[in-house]
Amino acid sequence: MPQVTYIEHDGTAHQVELEEGLSVMRGAVDNGVPGIDADCGGECACATCHVFVEEAWLERTGEPSEQEASMLSFAATAQPNSRLSCQITMSAALDGLVVRLPEAQH
Ligand code: FES
C-alpha cells in the first residue's frame, strides 16, 4: 500500500500505509496521528484537516478546488503549499507523500 509521512509541528514523524482511494486526512485520523481534527468528517467544510504539502509533492497533489481554496482562507496559518488533507486522495502515484502539520488547527 502507498505510504504517507506526517510530520508534526515538533518534528515527530509518523509513517502510515494508506489504501488507495482513502483521503490523507483519513490516514491520520484512523492511525492516531495527532494534529488533524477533521471536525466535518471530510466534507471540505471545516478546514481543521489543514496540512502543508512538502515542496517535492506539490505537482502530484495538484491544486485545491475552488471550494477547498475558499475553506483554506479560514486557516490561520495557510501558506501557498497548504491543502485540506481530506481533499487529497491516496493513489500509487502519491506513494511516499510527505505532509507537515500546523502547530494548531484553530
Ligand atoms: Fe473538514 Fe477536511 S475534514 S475540511
Side-chain angles (χ1 to χ4, degrees):
M1 276 194 282
Q3 201 173 63
V4 186
T5 300
Y6 303 85
I7 303 176
E8 292 183 61
H9 192 259
D10 69 1
T12 307
H14 304 263
Q15 282 191 334
V16 168
E17 288 197 340
L18 187 54
E19 207 174 298
E20 289 184 52
L22 292 181
S23 72
V24 170
M25 173 280 275
R26 191 45 64 199
V29 170
D30 289 354
N31 290 282
V33 176
I36 291 187
D37 296 343
D39 290 342
C40 76
E43 299 298 322
C44 195
C46 72
T48 64
C49 63
H50 177 205
V51 297
F52 304 111
V53 174
E54 283 280 281
E55 207 66 30
W57 291 95
L58 278 175
E59 209 167 292
R60 270 173 279 184
T61 50
E63 294 284 318
S65 67
E66 208 170 299
Q67 185 187 352
E68 182 183 345
S70 147
M71 286 312 301
L72 272 168
S73 67
F74 294 104
T77 54
Q79 296 174 8
N81 63 336
S82 289
R83 290 292 308 271
L84 295 179
S85 56
C86 70
Q87 301 302 302
I88 305 174
T89 304
M90 204 55 196
S91 66
L94 292 182
D95 184 26
L97 175 67
V98 180
V99 296
R100 291 181 180 271
L101 308 179
E103 188 168 11
Q105 290 288 351
H106 293 277

